[in-house]
Amino acid sequence: MNRTQKGAWFTLAVAILLLVFGAIIYAAMFAPGNMTAGTGLVKVWGWFILVFLAGGAALIHFKRKPSNVDFDERDNAVKKNAVLVAFIGLLILLFAGGIIPSFVAGDEGSIPTCLLPIINLGVFLVVMLIYSVAVLVQYCLGAKGEKS
């Protein structure tokens, strides 16, 4: 597994963890009770994510044998195609992020401004997922036709 694949797996795991963390925070925001209701799980997940990020970053940047190449022309092509797919996904998600709140709140309604950064963060995390999946799918499809 080369560095690009390791980075894609790490990005995929981080995006999924952060989406789950965001869902927990979102649920805690609307938990009945006082202002600290539902924050215990948020604190536990926060520490878990910090440990995962530190350990994963160390594993990704761990040096392999000096004879192994970190990337080649195929990696550049895979990254280029994955960025293209991610940008298309970004355009679709930003369009949906601008249209869906008007359907939810109605033309005369309003949404809390605290939800706007949450929408943007959610779009960013889904685009990270799209990029990672695009990289991994390209390596998976390319590996079937190759012979070593």
Side-chain angles (χ1 to χ4, degrees), residues 98-112:
I99 298 298
I100 290 174
S102 68
F103 287 124
V104 172
D107 291 333
E108 301 298 323
S110 63
I111 62 171

Side-chain angles (χ1 to χ4, degrees), residues 51-106:
V51 169
F52 180 80
L53 289 174
L59 287 176
I60 285 177
H61 295 294
F62 179 70
K63 274 304 238 187
R64 297 185 301 165
K65 296 177 186 175
S67 62
N68 292 347
V69 179
D70 279 339
F71 63 91
D72 58 3
E73 294 83 17
R74 180 174 179 230
D75 293 327
N76 291 334
V78 165
K79 287 179 187 177
K80 181 181 174 184
N81 292 337
V83 166
L84 180 65
V85 170
F87 273 131
I88 291 170
L90 177 67
L91 291 173
I92 293 168
L93 288 170
L94 286 177
F95 180 75
I99 298 298
I100 290 174
S102 68
F103 287 124
V104 172

Side-chain angles (χ1 to χ4, degrees), residues 15-142:
I16 290 171
L17 279 174
L18 290 176
L19 282 171
V20 170
F21 186 62
I24 291 170
I25 290 174
Y26 187 76
M29 283 173 46
F30 298 107
N34 61 5
M35 295 295 287
T36 60
T39 59
L41 190 58
V42 171
K43 291 176 186 176
V44 171
W45 266 86
W47 283 109
F48 176 70
I49 289 174
L50 285 175
V51 169
F52 180 80
L53 289 174
L59 287 176
I60 285 177
H61 295 294
F62 179 70
K63 274 304 238 187
R64 297 185 301 165
K65 296 177 186 175
S67 62
N68 292 347
V69 179
D70 279 339
F71 63 91
D72 58 3
E73 294 83 17
R74 180 174 179 230
D75 293 327
N76 291 334
V78 165
K79 287 179 187 177
K80 181 181 174 184
N81 292 337
V83 166
L84 180 65
V85 170
F87 273 131
I88 291 170
L90 177 67
L91 291 173
I92 293 168
L93 288 170
L94 286 177
F95 180 75
I99 298 298
I100 290 174
S102 68
F103 287 124
V104 172
D107 291 333
E108 301 298 323
S110 63
I111 62 171
T113 56
C114 67
L115 291 181
L116 299 176
I118 293 172
I119 292 170
N120 289 336
L121 183 62
V123 166
F124 172 71
L125 291 174
V126 172
V127 169
M128 283 177 44
L129 279 171
I130 292 171
Y131 175 80
S132 300
V133 168
V135 167
L136 294 173
V137 165
Q138 289 180 68
Y139 277 111
C140 184
L141 293 177

